[in-house]
């Protein structure tokens, strides 16, 4: 596979790394309600924090396609993805088991499930997300169901790339628009037939469009697209959409409008997250993302994967030890404390597990690849030595 000379290949986009933190923080706000209710204005927005997952899926497709290199074979790609995700997954799963499982669960601790080795084995191999049953879907470390989807996306990425890399700039943008249209059409089908086959599809399949959208947009960038979209535009649109979702169901005169748009919440959020990624990536490439590329924000972005996997475990440990806390503005002290604790834990996991284990696994794979290359060259020389003259 030869490189495409028309494709732009640049280095890391630090501002995109910084964006990861805000998505992880949104998911944190969604989960913290299980320990302490947030003040009403914040709570109305925070209940949509789960939409941060859509951002992660779009971003994953964008980053992997932005960093794609034709000389990296599938074996190397898969090993790098394994090295990046799996060690931290195993560690956070082990930390979560004593929090979310017991041989004799207390009925009042609704988050604690009976110990089930079969379910935990599913979680170990990232298979739990293929079930729509919440007991299975959120088994093990509840946040890790998204890793099932990511593993599925990783498996398909090299094959989808075979198609995407053949697209022109216009083709990549048209494909991105087609993916968005397909996502809305799929959601409309599910809304019309909620008990049908499409609505029952596993989440990795239903969420694949978000990953592919990120891939198409990244390829458009690599083909030279550099739109000038001020950051305030996607930020304002996301804020307006969340406020709209919070307000519409509370007013009788807008209840019908809410019923019409609510089924498409995730699809609209996905499109807005894609617009945010495009805006920030473009700013970064033009050297105009000073705040988003600041060292503290980039560091938080680098820790965001660990933060995402560990924060819910700490929230439920606190609930077990101290019970559900009263709300109001004083509850923000609990929020700040849990946020700080989760950040420190994420930093420790990144420094002690995620980064060093990934480096070691990648070095090991690089050595194996070099050894195979040397052995193949030696075999070729031996064959040349014994071949008849002229052949």
């Amino acid at each position: 596979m030869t490189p495409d000379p028309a494709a732009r290949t640049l280095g890391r986009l630090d501002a995109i790394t910084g964006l990861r933190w805000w998505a992880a923080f949104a998911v944190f706000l969604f989960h913290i309600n299980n320990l302490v209710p947030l003040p009403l204005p914040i709570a109305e927005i925070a209940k949509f924090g789960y939409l941060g997952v859509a951002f992660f899926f779009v971003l994953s497709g964008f980053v992997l396609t932005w960093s794609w290199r034709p000389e990296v074979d599938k074996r190397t790609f898969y090993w790098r993805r394994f090295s990046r995700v799996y060690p931290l997954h195993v560690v956070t799963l082990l930390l979560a088991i004593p929090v979310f499982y017991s041989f004799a669960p207390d009925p009042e601790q609704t988050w604690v499930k009976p110990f089930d080795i079969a379910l935990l084995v599913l979680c170990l191999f990232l298979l739990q997300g293929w079930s729509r049953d919440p007991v299975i879907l959120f088994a093990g470390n509840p946040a890790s169901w998204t890793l099932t989807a990511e593993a599925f996306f990783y498996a398909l990425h090299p094959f989808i790339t075979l198609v995407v890399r053949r697209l022109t700039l216009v083709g990549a943008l048209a494909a991105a628009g087609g993916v968005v249209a397909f996502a809305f059409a799929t959601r409309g089908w599910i809304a019309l037939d909620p008990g049908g086959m499409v609505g029952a599809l596993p989440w990795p399949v239903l969420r694949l469009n978000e990953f592919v959208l990120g891939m198409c947009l990244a390829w458009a960038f690599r083909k030279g697209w550099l739109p000038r979209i001020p950051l305030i535009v996607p930020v304002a649109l996301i804020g307006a959409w969340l406020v709209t979702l919070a307000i519409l169901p509370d007013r009788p005169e807008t209840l019908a409008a809410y019923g019409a748009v609510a089924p498409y919440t995730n699809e609209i959020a996905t499109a807005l997250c894609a617009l945010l990624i495009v805006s920030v990536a473009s700013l970064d490439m033009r050297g105009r993302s000073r705040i988003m590329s600041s060292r503290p924000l980039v560091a938080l972005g680098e820790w965001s994967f660990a933060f995402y996997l560990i924060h819910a475990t700490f929230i439920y440990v606190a609930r077990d030890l101290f019970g559900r806390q009263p709300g109001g503005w004083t509850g923000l002290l609990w929020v700040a404390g849990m946020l700080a604790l989760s950040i420190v834990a994420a930093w420790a996991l990144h420094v002690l597990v995620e980064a060093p284990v990934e480096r070691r696994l990648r070095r090991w794979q690089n050595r194996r690849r070099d050894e195979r290359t040397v052995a193949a060259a030696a075999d070729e020389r031996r064959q040349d030595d014994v071949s008849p003259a002229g052949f």
Side-chain angles (χ1 to χ4, degrees), residues 309-360:
L309 288 180
I310 198 63
H311 75 273
T313 298
F314 278 107
I315 287 172
Y316 281 100
V317 167
R319 180 160 176 177
D320 183 29
L321 294 175
F322 306 108
R324 183 167 170 80
Q325 298 301 305
W329 290 101
T330 56
L332 291 179
L333 295 175
W334 275 96
V335 175
M338 295 307 303
L339 178 62
L341 179 62
S342 298
I343 289 175
V344 171
W347 165 79
L349 286 168
H350 177 78
V351 171
L352 300 176
V353 178
E354 183 181 4
V357 175
E358 180 183 4
R359 283 195 300 268
R360 290 171 186 169

Side-chain angles (χ1 to χ4, degrees), residues 252-320:
E253 63 273 18
T254 59
L255 198 56
Y258 177 76
V261 301
Y264 302 94
T265 296
N266 191 77
E267 285 64 42
I268 294 174
T270 297
L272 293 177
C273 287
L275 183 64
L276 177 62
I277 291 168
V278 165
S279 173
V280 172
S282 181
L283 289 170
D284 200 350
M285 292 171 63
R286 300 202 313 270
R288 300 185 60 185
S289 60
R290 202 171 305 171
I291 296 176
M292 295 300 297
S293 301
S294 63
R295 184 171 297 181
L297 198 54
V298 171
L300 287 170
E302 290 173 343
W303 307 340
S304 62
F305 180 44
F307 178 88
Y308 172 79
L309 288 180
I310 198 63
H311 75 273
T313 298
F314 278 107
I315 287 172
Y316 281 100
V317 167
R319 180 160 176 177
D320 183 29

